[in-house]
């Protein structure tokens, strides 16, 4: 990594799989019989807030039963040691990157451990169950919702992500199927700006053809090997 100074890492559900968090499109990629795409939309939140809030309450509660794995820990070591620019953009809503010690980190699809007020936009740390109609302590509206980017909603910090990709010398994608945009398009953006591109994934993904190099295997092995 001699001439490389600025690195962007994109992670997906595959980086948390070895911690025991189910991926979305693996075997049994359904939740209580619902397609993931059907419980992760503003329409679903309006139509059945109890179902959607419960989907996130269960996943938030499960965070206490899992630990960061070797991939999270290796990325945190890279974060501490890397002298150049580094940004870990995660599609995941779990808190395992933080708990492993990563700091230069951004959740583009929100976080389980945060609640968002649909009325005033204030967000706050949230670790317990979040019943529909919970009151916002900033504006008083009974409008707290999971702080999650649903399908059809704009991911967070897109301008910052795109500006960082434009300056990247290396773009590394870890544990994602390349099924969801705009995240799935980052490799093409980074490549167009001249970055080198590397994919670390258990199997070939929808985006594999866009990477200069793809290494196949579990993140818990590939990521420490790459970081070292
Ligand atoms: C947007 C948060 C525009 C929630 C997620 C029609 C209508 C509406 C929208 C669209 C449409 N057509 C297209 C779109 C755009 C849409 C989209 O891309 N849809 C897809 C289905 C076609 N995207 C959006 O809607 C996005 N917003 O476009 O906004 C806009 C513009 C202006 C103004 C307003 C709006 C927002 C999408 C965000 C949705 N939220 N997550 C939650 O987590 O509950 S998406 C969710 O799925 C993830 O966050 C991630 O982004 C995505 C993909 O999941 P992965 O992380 O890749 O996981 P997956 O299971 O798929 O794959 C795991 C991979 O890991 C596999 O490859 C596997 O091989 C590998 N693996 C497994 N084990 C391991 C491993 N690898 C290594 N080691 C292992 N051990």
């Amino acid at each position: 990594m001699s001439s490389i100074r600025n690195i962007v890492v994109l992670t997906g559900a595959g980086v948390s799989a070895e911690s025991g968090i189910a991926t979305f499109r693996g075997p049994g990629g359904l939740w209580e019989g619902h397609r993931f795409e059907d419980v992760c939309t503003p329409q679903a939140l309006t139509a059945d807030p109890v179902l959607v809030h419960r989907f996130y309450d269960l996943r938030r509660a499960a965070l206490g039963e899992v630990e960061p794995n070797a991939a999270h820990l290796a990325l945190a070591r890279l974060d501490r040691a890397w002298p150049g620019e580094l940004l870990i953009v995660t599609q995941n809503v779990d808190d395992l990157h933080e708990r492993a010690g990563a700091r230069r980190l951004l959740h583009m699809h929100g976080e389980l451990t945060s609640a968002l007020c649909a009325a005033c936009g204030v967000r706050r740390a949230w670790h317990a169950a979040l019943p529909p109609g919970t009151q916002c302590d900033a504006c008083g509206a009974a409008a707290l919702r999971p702080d999650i980017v649903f399908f059809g909603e704009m991911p967070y910090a897109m301008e910052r992500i795109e500006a960082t990709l434009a300056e990247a010398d290396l773009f590394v994608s870890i544990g994602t199927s390349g099924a969801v945009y705009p995240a799935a398009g980052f490799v093409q953006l980074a490549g167009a700006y001249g970055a080198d591109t590397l994919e670390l994934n258990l199997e070939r993904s929808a985006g594999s053809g866009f990477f200069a190099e793809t290494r196949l295997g579990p993140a818990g092995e590939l990521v420490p090997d790459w970081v070292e």
Side-chain angles (χ1 to χ4, degrees), residues 12 23 31 40 44 51 69 98 109 120 153 164 199 215 219-220:
T23 63
W31 178 73
C40 178
L51 175 85
N69 65 56
E98 293 87 334
H109 288 161
C120 72
E153 295 183 328
T164 309
E199 179 183 37
R215 296 177 196 167

Side-chain angles (χ1 to χ4, degrees), residues 73-182:
L73 294 168
L75 288 173
R77 284 198 301 278
L78 177 68
D79 189 355
R80 277 192 295 277
W82 186 251
E85 297 297 318
L86 171 74
L87 181 62
I88 300 168
V89 179
T90 187
Q91 301 172 85
N92 299 338
V93 294
D94 65 54
D95 61 352
L96 294 178
H97 279 303
E98 293 87 334
R99 287 166 54 193
R103 291 288 171 269
R104 294 184 276 184
L105 171 70
L106 184 160
H107 285 267
M108 67 178 288
H109 288 161
E111 301 175 70
L112 287 170
T113 56
S114 172
L116 170 69
C117 177
C120 72
V122 164
R123 51 173 61 86
R124 50 164 297 177
W126 199 274
H127 298 276
L130 176 63
T134 300
Q135 193 170 17
C136 168
D137 56 10
C139 76
L144 285 190
R145 57 165 272 188
D147 184 10
I148 296 290
V149 177
F150 292 141
F151 285 99
E153 295 183 328
M154 178 60 94
Y156 292 145
M158 281 305 295
E159 284 181 22
R160 177 180 172 201
I161 294 169
E162 286 163 354
T164 309
L165 286 169
E167 301 298 322
D169 305 306
L170 175 61
F171 174 75
V172 185
S173 175
I174 304 171
T176 182
S177 61
V180 171
Y181 287 83

Side-chain angles (χ1 to χ4, degrees), residues 2 5 15 24 38 47 56 88 100 121 123 126 135 149 172 184 187 195 201 203 207:
S2 55
R5 280 208 42 78
V15 83
F24 294 102
D38 295 338
Y56 290 99
I88 300 168
R123 51 173 61 86
W126 199 274
Q135 193 170 17
V149 177
V172 185
V187 56
N201 207 53
E203 59 206 353

